């Protein structure tokens, strides 16, 4: 009797152990409630319309509390009913605003300047949308004289002339050291638009117009097309992005009202033919690509300066999106 009981206990233990060790294949679990729940969660992403005509813009620059065009691509749901959103700080992931319902293609920007990512929630499931990010600006009106929070910016031509209707940036992105490598586009980063002055204090302040970001990416795409390539992988050097008026006044040959002051210009050197060198022929190819992009996208019309003088270490091009066509050589 004792032997029989021992045998039963042993066989029961083996059965339990086998059940614990055995993991049924995934296809047998496909109908389980957990798997069904996972499949039922709609996938949320930023719609392509948020990334410009190039599809490569990865940062929006907006005023605090502004309604931002930010359509969402939701797969697995018929509407936005039940979805809520919240902006979170880049890097820390800490919430920066209250939860709000998704009620259309526009979202309300946070009230505090900074860099943000979007978090979308439904039925207790949160999804982070890392791109495009949002840069909420410090309003231009908070600049006191020539400084903003201790950072020397200088005065704009409209300020010197006391022209209230004169052109000024909407505001400035507040940049700390940890923000320098945040992507603006596929090929451009925040550091590319920070003024190359000698100020060592942080934060720094930067004006950026997303139109020039979109335009540069379209130029790179056109260069790739002319090389018979699908991917725009180029060596790109940004000599100058945003310039404060103070710094611009010390740049030899710069215009007093340079487009660099308004964040819609960049001086770039692009290895257009991919031979590993930056030459005059590269600059000419960039010039042709800019002309073509402006024909296809007249809303991005602007200036193009080809700088090929021997006094420059390498030829480069000034590209801007001022709204009207301008051409020059230097």
């Amino acid at each position: 009797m004792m032997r029989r009981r021992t045998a039963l206990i042993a066989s029961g233990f083996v059965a339990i152990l086998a059940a614990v060790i055995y993991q049924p294949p995934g296809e047998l679990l496909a109908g389980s409630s957990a798997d069904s729940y996972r499949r039922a969660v709609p996938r949320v992403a930023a719609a392509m319309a948020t990334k410009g005509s190039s599809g490569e813009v990865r940062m929006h620059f907006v005023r605090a509390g502004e309604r931002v065009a930010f359509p969402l691509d939701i797969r697995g749901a018929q509407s936005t009913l039940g979805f809520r959103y919240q902006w979170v700080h880049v890097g820390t992931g800490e919430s920066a605003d209250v939860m709000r319902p998704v009620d259309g293609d526009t979202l309300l920007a946070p009230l505090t300047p900074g860099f943000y990512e979007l978090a979308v929630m439904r039925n207790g499931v949160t999804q982070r949308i890392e791109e495009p990010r949002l840069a909420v600006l410090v309003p231009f009106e908070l600049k006191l004289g020539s400084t903003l929070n201790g950072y020397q910016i200088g005065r704009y031509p409209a300020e010197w002339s006391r022209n209230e209707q004169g052109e000024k940036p909407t505001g400035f992105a507040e940049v700390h050291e940890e923000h320098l490598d945040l992507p603006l586009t596929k090929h451009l980063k925040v550091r590319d638009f920070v003024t190359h002055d000698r100020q060592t204090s942080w934060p720094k302040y930067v004006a950026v117009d997303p139109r020039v970001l979109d335009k540069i990416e379209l130029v790179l795409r056109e260069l790739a097309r002319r090389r018979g390539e699908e991917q725009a992988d180029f060596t790109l050097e940004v000599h100058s992005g945003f310039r404060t008026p103070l710094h611009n006044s010390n740049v030899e040959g710069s215009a007093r009202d340079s487009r660099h002051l308004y964040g819609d210009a960049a001086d770039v050197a692009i290895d257009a033919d991919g031979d590993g060198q930056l030459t005059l022929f590269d600059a000419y190819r960039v010039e042709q690509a800019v002309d073509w992009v402006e024909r296809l996208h007249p809303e991005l019309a602007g200036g193009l300066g080809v700088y090929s003088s021997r006094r420059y270490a390498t030829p480069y091009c000034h590209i801007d999106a001022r709204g009207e066509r301008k051409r020059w050589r230097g």
Side-chain angles (χ1 to χ4, degrees):
M1 186 69 177
M2 182 63 69
R3 290 180 180 177
R4 184 178 180 184
R5 182 176 299 174
T6 302
L8 288 173
I9 292 173
S11 61
F13 175 76
V14 171
I16 293 172
L17 182 62
V20 171
I21 294 175
Y22 174 66
Q23 295 293 327
E27 56 268 24
L28 295 183
L29 291 174
S32 68
S33 59
D35 184 74
S36 299
Y37 179 76
R38 179 181 61 79
R39 291 172 181 269
V41 175
R43 310 306 297 172
V44 182
M48 282 301 296
T50 64
K51 301 177 182 179
S53 298
S54 65
E56 300 292 358
V57 175
R58 300 180 182 179
M59 187 78 74
H60 289 197
F61 294 82
V62 301
R63 287 178 175 270
E66 178 182 352
R67 273 281 173 186
V68 183
F70 206 106
L72 297 175
D73 181 10
I74 302 176
R75 300 181 182 181
Q78 298 298 319
S79 70
T80 59
L81 185 65
F83 285 91
R84 295 180 296 160
Y85 73 92
Q86 183 180 47
W87 296 102
V88 298
H89 289 281
V90 170
T92 66
E94 296 178 356
S95 62
D97 212 347
V98 298
M99 277 283 183
R100 293 187 172 90
V102 177
D103 56 3
D105 288 342
T106 61
L107 305 178
L108 198 64
L111 299 176
T112 306
F115 292 93
Y116 299 94
E117 294 172 354
L118 184 66
V120 179
M121 178 181 289
R122 187 192 190 202
N123 295 334
V125 178
T126 300
Q127 299 179 58
R128 288 273 290 275
I129 300 175
E130 294 185 352
E131 293 178 351
R133 293 183 169 101
L134 215 62
V136 177
L137 305 175
V138 177
F140 182 89
E141 292 75 17
L142 292 186
K143 185 169 77 73
L144 299 177
S146 61
T147 65
L148 177 58
N149 195 21
Y151 182 69
Q152 294 288 332
I153 291 178
R155 295 179 183 271
Y156 279 79
E159 293 179 288
W160 284 112
S161 63
R162 298 185 179 181
N163 180 4
E164 294 294 331
Q165 305 304 317
E167 186 175 9
K168 300 182 289 289
T170 300
F172 305 94
E174 184 175 284
V175 177
H176 294 263
E177 286 188 87
E178 61 267 26
H179 299 141
L180 290 176
D181 287 322
L182 291 179
L184 298 177
T185 69
K186 179 180 179 180
H187 294 91
L188 299 170
K189 296 180 179 181
V190 169
R191 67 169 65 249
D192 294 321
F193 274 76
V194 173
T195 298
H196 301 317
D197 56 21
R198 296 182 179 180
Q199 298 185 69
T200 58
S201 62
W202 297 89
K204 300 180 185 295
Y205 292 89
V206 179
V208 182
D209 188 327
R211 292 179 304 163
V212 75
L213 305 179
D214 204 16
K215 186 173 184 177
I216 290 173
E217 288 295 335
L218 287 168
V219 168
L220 293 173
R221 178 189 293 177
E222 176 60 20
L223 289 171
R225 186 188 70 82
R226 294 178 180 224
R227 282 168 47 173
E229 300 174 358
E230 293 185 4
Q231 297 295 325
D233 294 323
F234 292 92
T235 298
L236 172 68
E237 295 181 3
V238 180
H239 293 179
S240 181
F242 169 67
R243 293 182 198 155
T244 64
L246 179 62
H247 177 67
N248 186 70
S249 65
N250 295 316
V251 176
E252 182 181 355
S254 63
R256 185 168 178 265
D257 60 348
S258 167
R259 298 311 307 174
H260 289 280
L261 275 61
Y262 307 98
D264 64 4
D267 294 343
V268 296
I270 303 172
D271 181 14
D273 57 13
D275 66 355
Q277 299 180 7
L278 296 170
T279 67
L280 181 59
F281 295 104
D282 291 314
Y284 287 158
R285 287 181 172 89
V286 172
E287 181 180 21
Q288 294 169 351
V290 169
D291 285 339
W292 185 251
V293 167
E294 289 189 358
R295 286 182 61 186
L296 296 179
H297 302 274
E299 72 279 5
L300 298 178
L304 171 65
V306 178
Y307 291 85
S308 56
S309 169
R310 292 182 180 273
R311 60 178 173 162
Y312 303 114
T314 58
Y316 68 91
C317 294
H318 167 104
I319 300 174
D320 70 52
R322 69 182 68 191
E324 59 178 334
R325 189 178 189 274
K326 296 286 185 181
R327 296 293 185 269
W328 67 92
R329 297 186 182 278

